Amino acid sequence: MKIKMSLLFLVINFCMVHAQQELISEIKNQTIVIDSLSKVIKKERDDLKLLNEKFKIKTDSINGLKSTLSKLEKFKNEKKKFDEQLKLKSDSISTLIKQKNEITQKISDDKMKYEQNMISEKEKTRLEFLNQITNFYNGKSFDELILNSSKNTIERDLKITGTTELKLLLNDLKVYFEARDLLDNRFNAEVTKTKLDNLNKIKQQSVLLEKLKDQLENYQSVNNGLIECLKSLIDLDMKGLVMSNSGHDKEVIQLKLNKIQTQISKFIFDFDFNHADYPYLSNVLSKVIKLKVPNPDADISKLLKNIE
């Protein structure tokens, strides 16, 4: 009985030990499983955290995109308004350009019409003026034309006249006036001969033309006569200056004045000198008289140089 009890106890003890060992083994296994699960859980938590962070980044990105999209929509709306305004401006500019082109064309047309009218009026005026010129010269003698014309008017009319016959007449008048100008200037033998030759080519019948020829033919002779007259007056000065006498004897002064007058009168008489015929020489003689009458001793040597 004791042996049975002991054996039973051993069996029970063995069973308990075995059960305890199995329990420990099971606990160990469960511990391993728990550790594995803990690691898995930790990994899942880490992954979840990472996912949360990524989700936050995506969310922020989405929010940013939403903001950008909102701005883009706003920009689209503003751009639409701007495009509408731009189109209005473009249409307005096109209208203005069209108006400008129309105005420019009108100005161009008006300018062309104005220029054509000006040309027409200018030609009309030229023809009228030419007709007046032709009428002025027609039917008048050469002497009448000389008396009613001038060198300037002749040169002006030569520029616009069209008829050959009138040009020939105007050229003859121009030769006459150019030759007559010599009498207003200091004598020049070479120029005087050339102008006289030109006068001799004129076929017009004219008293004034013949008179001018005579004046030019005699110009040198009259000029030399005035030179001799002035030299004789200077010779009188060389013989004595009456105004330097302390008493200024009136009879002595008058005597010299009479001699001066005699020399001047002799020149005028000998050459039948007409002041209007020789303007340059007449001007010199007038200056001599103006100097010598108030002062018989006045120096006229400079005047002599003007004609020598």
Side-chain angles (χ1 to χ4, degrees):
M1 189 67 173
K2 289 181 179 182
I3 294 171
K4 286 182 180 180
M5 289 296 290
S6 297
L7 182 60
L8 179 62
F9 178 76
L10 287 171
V11 170
I12 291 170
N13 188 45
F14 175 79
C15 289
M16 288 180 63
V17 169
H18 180 71
Q20 186 178 13
Q21 288 177 345
E22 285 181 354
L23 178 61
I24 291 170
S25 178
E26 182 67 24
I27 291 171
K28 286 182 179 180
N29 289 335
Q30 290 297 322
T31 300
I32 291 170
V33 170
I34 290 171
D35 289 340
S36 296
L37 288 175
S38 297
K39 290 178 180 180
V40 170
I41 290 171
K42 183 178 183 301
K43 184 177 182 302
E44 291 296 328
R45 285 178 178 175
D46 291 340
D47 290 343
L48 180 61
K49 182 179 179 182
L50 181 61
L51 286 174
N52 284 332
E53 290 176 353
K54 289 182 177 180
F55 179 76
K56 184 177 183 303
I57 292 172
K58 294 293 184 181
T59 301
D60 292 341
S61 178
I62 291 171
N63 291 333
L65 289 173
K66 286 182 179 179
S67 175
T68 301
L69 182 62
S70 175
K71 291 179 181 179
L72 182 60
E73 290 296 327
K74 184 179 179 181
F75 171 77
K76 285 182 179 180
N77 293 332
E78 291 178 351
K79 182 177 181 299
K80 183 179 179 181
K81 291 179 182 179
F82 177 77
D83 289 341
E84 291 174 353
Q85 292 176 353
L86 186 61
K87 186 176 183 305
L88 290 175
K89 293 293 183 182
S90 179
D91 293 342
S92 176
I93 290 172
S94 298
T95 302
L96 290 173
I97 290 174
K98 182 179 179 182
Q99 292 176 350
K100 174 183 173 293
N101 291 335
E102 291 174 351
I103 293 172
T104 301
Q105 185 62 45
K106 186 175 184 307
I107 291 173
S108 179
D109 293 341
D110 291 344
K111 182 180 179 181
M112 185 178 294
K113 290 179 182 178
Y114 172 78
E115 289 176 348
Q116 290 174 345
N117 290 335
M118 286 295 294
I119 293 172
S120 177
E121 287 297 321
K122 186 177 180 180
E123 180 62 17
K124 181 180 177 182
T125 302
R126 190 187 73 82
L127 292 175
E128 289 177 354
F129 188 53
L130 183 59
N131 187 52
Q132 291 176 2
I133 291 174
T134 303
N135 291 335
F136 172 79
Y137 290 101
N138 283 342
K140 291 185 176 65
S141 68
F142 200 70
D143 285 339
E144 287 179 301
L145 294 175
I146 289 173
L147 294 173
N148 292 282
S149 303
S150 67
K151 181 181 177 181
N152 289 337
T153 60
I154 297 301
E155 290 177 344
R156 178 202 65 193
D157 296 343
L158 266 171
K159 293 178 181 178
I160 59 176
T161 186
T163 62
T164 303
E165 183 179 354
L166 182 54
K167 278 189 174 181
L168 291 174
L169 175 61
L170 291 172
N171 279 322
D172 286 344
L173 287 167
K174 182 180 179 182
V175 169
Y176 173 87
F177 284 112
E178 287 178 347
R180 195 176 71 177
D181 283 346
L182 295 181
L183 300 174
D184 292 320
N185 297 279
R186 185 172 182 167
F187 175 73
N188 183 307
E190 184 178 352
V191 176
T192 300
K193 182 181 182 306
T194 300
K195 296 297 183 183
L196 191 55
D197 290 341
N198 292 337
L199 287 178
N200 288 324
K201 294 176 184 178
I202 296 176
K203 305 301 181 182
Q204 305 287 341
Q205 297 295 319
S206 168
V207 174
L208 294 176
L209 176 60
E210 294 304 319
K211 180 181 178 182
L212 180 58
K213 290 179 184 179
D214 290 339
Q215 289 172 270
L216 292 178
E217 287 172 351
N218 296 322
Y219 196 2
Q220 186 170 13
S221 176
V222 177
N223 187 76
N224 290 338
L226 184 57
I227 289 174
E228 294 304 318
C229 176
L230 267 57
K231 284 183 176 179
S232 66
L233 298 181
I234 292 173
D235 287 341
L236 287 175
D237 293 337
M238 298 294 291
K239 292 176 182 178
L241 302 176
V242 298
M243 295 295 287
S244 63
N245 296 334
S246 59
H248 287 174
D249 193 320
K250 290 183 179 181
E251 292 183 2
V252 175
I253 294 173
Q254 187 60 49
L255 180 61
K256 185 171 183 180
L257 283 173
N258 291 341
K259 291 179 180 180
I260 292 171
Q261 184 177 0
T262 299
Q263 292 297 327
I264 293 175
S265 297
K266 182 178 184 303
F267 162 73
I268 294 173
F269 179 78
D270 289 346
F271 292 92
D272 193 19
F273 184 77
N274 187 332
H275 288 275
D277 290 344
Y278 299 95
Y280 183 79
L281 299 181
S282 177
N283 183 51
V284 172
L285 184 58
S286 296
K287 289 180 179 179
V288 170
I289 294 171
K290 287 180 180 180
L291 287 172
K292 285 294 187 182
V293 170
N295 179 11
D297 296 333
D299 183 14
I300 60 170
S301 57
K302 289 183 179 179
L303 295 174
L304 176 61
K305 291 180 181 179
N306 290 337
I307 58 175
E308 281 187 318

